[in-house]
Amino acid sequence: MSHDFPAYRGEMEYCCLGCGKRYPGDSLLYTCPECGDVLLLENTRFGELKEHGGAYWRELFDRRASTRSNALRGVFRYYELLAPILDEEDICYLGEGITPVIEAAPALSAKVGVPFAYKNDGQNPSASFKDRGMACAFSYLKWLCRRQQWDEVLTVCASTGDTSAAAALYASYIGAPLKSVVLLPHGKVTPQQLSQPLGSGATVLELPGVFDDCMKVVEILAEKYRVALLNSKNAWRILGQESFAYEVAQWYGWDVSKLCIFVPVGNAGNITAIMSGFLKMHELGIVEALPRIFGVQSEHADPVYRYYSAPEGSREWKPVQVQPSVAQAAMIGNPVSFPRVRALASRFVKAAGEKAFQVVQVKEQQIMDAMIQANRHGHIACTQGGECLAGLMNARDLGLVGAGEHAVLDSTAHALKFSGFQSMYFENAFPPAYGITPDTALANRPELLLPEEARQGKDVMEFAREGAKAVVARLGLVEK
Ligand SMILES: *Cc1c(COP(=O)(O)O)cnc(C)c1O
Ligand SMILES: [Zn+2]
C-alpha cells in the first residue's frame, strides 16, 4: 500500500441515456435491461468532491505528477474523477496516459495559419488512445473478479484494429482468470494492428464484412453469454478515456478557455469521454471555462457530421454505409456511442455556448495530404491524426477558429500502425474507392545506389570507398 493512495471512495451507478433508469455499478452491464439504450457511469457521491474548491484539485493533481505509486502514475492520477471504487491492488498500469503535447513545428504552424499542437496518444503502450479506456475497464474487471471470485472470464471485443490490440495487451498482462478473444473484420485492419493481438496471445477471430457487422455479433454474444464486452459500449472505458481531457487541462495550466480540441470520430466513445471529462472539471471548478470541441469525420464515414449539419429541430439520426477510408480506425457507419454524444453535446453547448461543439467533415485526399505534411514536419501522426489536421484546416477556411485560439489535435494512434497508407501514397497505389491522388512531389522512396553484386569479393575498406563514392555522386558533395 502506498501512502499516496486516496482514502476517498465514491459509488458508481450505471445511468441509462434512454429511460433514465439506474443500476448499481457492481455488475457487468452494457445496455439498459429495460429499454436497450446505452449507459454512462455516474459517481453518486460526486457532490462530496465539491466540498473542496478547484484549487484543491489542481494542486492535488499537480502534486501527483511526481508520485511513485504505480497505481497513480497513469490515467489514475485523476482517480477521484475516474472510478473511485477501485482499490490500489486492482489498478493495472502499463504505461498508459500522460502522453506528450507537442507544439506544431513552426513551419507547419505557419503553413496552417493557426497555432496548434498534437497530443500524441500513439505514445501509449499499444500505440493508441484505447489504452486509456482499457486501463480503467481492466482494472474494474480485476476488482469485479476479486469480489465475485470468478475463475474464468472471456473478454471479447469487435475492433477496427486498436481496441483489439489494447484489450489483448491488458488481458495478457493480467492473465488468469482473464482470457482475450478479439473479433476483426477480415482485411480491414492494418498488418501492424493484426500483429498486436496475435503477439499478445489472444484468440483472433475474423469475419467478412466491416466493423459494424462484427460489432453486431459481439453485441449478441454479450447479451446472451457470459463474456465481458470491451468495446466502448462498456462504460468503464469511457471513464478511462476522460483522462485525455484532464491531461490537456493540466498541461495548459488548467486554462482551457482558448483551446479548440479536434477529435476523430468513429464509434464516438472518445469524443464522449473528452466532453464528459471537461464537464466534470468545470463542475468542480478545476477549469473555469470550457474549451471548444470539434469532431472530425471523413466523408466516407460521416453519420455524426450529417446529423449535426442539419439545423437544430430538423436533425435526424441515420446510420450510413461506410466507404473505404484511410482513417480506417474511425470507419464506422453506426456509432454505438451516438446517444452519448447527443446527450453530452447538449450539456456542453448549454454550458459553453452554441459554438462549443461542432463536427466538421473532411475528404480522404485531405486526410492523407495532412498526415504526410504533419509527419514531414517531425510529427508522428496516424491517419486519424491527419484527419484532425485536415479538420482544423477546414474549420479555419470556414472561419470557425478565431484569432487567439489554439488547437489541440488528438493523434489517436502512432503513425507506424498506418504506414501501409503512407506506402500507397508514395507509390500512387490507392484503390479507386479511396479517391486519393497523391502529390507526387512528396513521394519518398529508398534508392539503391549499387547493385547487390557490388559487395561481392571485396574487403570492407574497398567496398566502403566504392560506397562513399556512390553517395558523394548522388548528393553532389564538395570536398572540404
Ligand atoms: C478507435 C479509434 C478512433 C475512433 O475513436 P472512437 O472512440 O471509436 O470514436 C480513432 N482513431 C484511432 C486510432 C482509433 O483506434
Ligand atoms: Zn433504459
Side-chain angles (χ1 to χ4, degrees):
M1 240 318 249
S2 91
H3 59 273
D4 281 351
F5 203 78
Y8 169 83
R9 289 294 181 278
E11 201 174 288
M12 303 302 289
E13 270 184 10
Y14 295 100
C15 178
C16 173
L17 290 180
C19 69
K21 268 209 137 181
R22 305 176 76 93
Y23 306 91
D26 61 357
S27 67
L28 284 170
L29 213 54
Y30 311 108
T31 48
C32 176
E34 202 71 27
C35 78
D37 218 324
V38 285
L39 307 166
L40 279 174
L41 282 153
E42 266 180 40
N43 175 5
T44 57
R45 298 173 64 178
F46 188 77
E48 290 171 29
L49 303 177
K50 292 185 195 163
E51 288 163 16
H52 302 285
Y56 170 89
W57 295 110
R58 292 192 293 268
E59 278 159 29
L60 177 70
F61 297 143
D62 283 346
R63 199 159 4 100
R64 263 191 209 149
S66 63
T67 185
R68 289 180 191 279
S69 153
N70 255 325
L72 301 175
R73 278 167 77 192
V75 299
F76 284 99
R77 174 186 292 180
Y78 313 97
Y79 175 85
E80 291 84 349
L81 308 184
L82 260 61
I85 54 167
L86 304 180
D87 295 316
E88 187 172 13
E89 64 181 295
D90 302 313
I91 292 178
C92 179
Y93 171 73
L94 297 185
E96 65 284 336
I98 323 295
T99 54
V101 174
I102 306 299
E103 293 302 321
L108 181 62
S109 196
K111 225 177 244 183
V112 174
V114 181
F116 72 96
Y118 264 117
K119 185 159 170 71
N120 283 347
D121 257 19
Q123 287 179 253
N124 274 300
S126 81
S128 90
F129 80 86
K130 298 293 200 301
D131 296 323
R132 296 178 179 279
M134 289 302 169
C136 187
F138 274 92
S139 298
Y140 170 70
L141 265 184
K142 274 183 78 180
W143 177 86
L144 200 58
C145 287
R146 197 157 57 83
R147 287 165 69 101
Q148 311 276 7
Q149 306 197 315
W150 285 337
D151 49 13
E152 188 178 283
V153 178
L154 223 47
T155 69
V156 299
C157 65
S159 179
T160 54
D162 293 329
T163 299
S164 52
L169 181 72
Y170 284 82
S172 67
Y173 183 86
I174 294 169
L178 304 183
K179 278 197 177 136
S180 174
V181 180
V182 306
L183 192 58
L184 305 175
H186 179 68
K188 306 283 191 323
V189 309
T190 73
Q192 295 82 354
Q193 290 171 323
L194 178 59
S195 79
Q196 292 186 286
L198 291 173
S200 297
T203 301
V204 178
L205 308 175
E206 298 191 319
L207 284 173
V210 295
F211 169 82
D212 294 296
D213 300 308
C214 290
M215 189 65 219
K216 281 275 172 268
V217 172
V218 166
E219 282 173 3
I220 293 172
L221 298 181
E223 197 175 311
K224 301 228 169 96
Y225 301 87
R226 228 189 83 181
V227 293
L229 175 68
L230 282 161
N231 282 96
S232 49
K233 223 168 196 182
N234 180 328
W236 299 93
R237 270 192 51 200
I238 303 291
L239 292 176
Q241 288 170 199
E242 287 175 0
S243 59
F244 180 94
Y246 307 143
E247 290 173 23
V248 167
Q250 186 166 27
W251 179 251
Y252 285 99
W254 308 105
D255 178 5
V256 293
S257 58
K258 295 288 187 294
L259 298 185
C260 296
I261 319 272
F262 283 75
V263 187
V265 178
N267 226 358
N270 199 24
I271 195 163
T272 295
I274 291 172
M275 284 194 284
S276 174
F278 280 116
L279 283 166
K280 274 190 197 172
M281 283 188 283
H282 193 231
E283 223 184 309
L284 292 177
I286 298 173
V287 299
E288 265 157 36
L290 290 166
R292 300 204 295 143
I293 308 289
F294 288 79
V296 189
Q297 291 206 300
S298 158
E299 60 178 349
H300 284 185
D302 61 353
V304 181
Y305 166 76
R306 288 187 199 202
Y307 178 83
Y308 282 103
S309 62
E312 217 186 327
S314 62
R315 287 175 185 160
E316 202 189 337
W317 174 243
K318 262 209 314 249
V320 304
Q321 196 75 42
V322 296
Q323 305 300 317
S325 173
V326 295
Q328 192 168 260
M331 201 179 102
I332 296 174
N334 189 11
V336 160
S337 284
F338 178 70
R340 291 167 169 161
V341 173
R342 194 163 42 191
L344 282 153
S346 87
R347 281 180 56 199
F348 213 86
V349 166
K350 217 170 268 160
E354 215 187 309
K355 302 231 149 55
F357 173 82
Q358 300 180 66
V359 185
V360 293
Q361 186 205 42
V362 295
K363 292 190 185 310
E364 289 292 310
Q365 180 78 46
Q366 295 179 304
I367 298 175
M368 278 313 293
D369 291 343
M371 182 192 85
I372 300 281
Q373 280 300 345
N375 294 348
R376 287 176 75 95
H377 286 88
H379 296 281
I380 49 171
C382 63
T383 45
Q384 294 68 222
E387 183 176 28
C388 283
L389 179 54
L392 171 61
M393 294 194 274
N394 284 1
R396 173 205 61 194
D397 292 347
L398 293 167
L400 303 179
V401 182
E405 289 193 292
H406 188 90
V408 178
L409 315 186
D410 189 351
S411 182
T412 43
H414 199 288
L416 288 175
K417 286 207 192 205
F418 297 87
S419 59
F421 291 116
Q422 176 185 286
S423 302
M424 283 195 231
Y425 193 94
F426 289 164
E427 290 156 20
N428 193 3
F430 278 104
Y434 288 94
I436 295 172
T437 312
D439 177 351
T440 48
L442 299 178
N444 204 3
R445 289 165 129 178
E447 305 165 40
L448 183 61
L449 292 179
L450 294 170
E452 222 27 79
E453 311 83 78
R455 180 66 188 88
Q456 283 158 20
K458 288 170 197 152
D459 71 20
V460 171
M461 276 320 293
E462 189 185 354
F463 179 68
R465 274 190 294 273
E466 198 179 327
K469 215 170 118 191
V471 173
V472 167
R474 166 66 181 80
L475 299 178
L477 295 181
V478 186
E479 260 182 81
K480 57 181 176 187

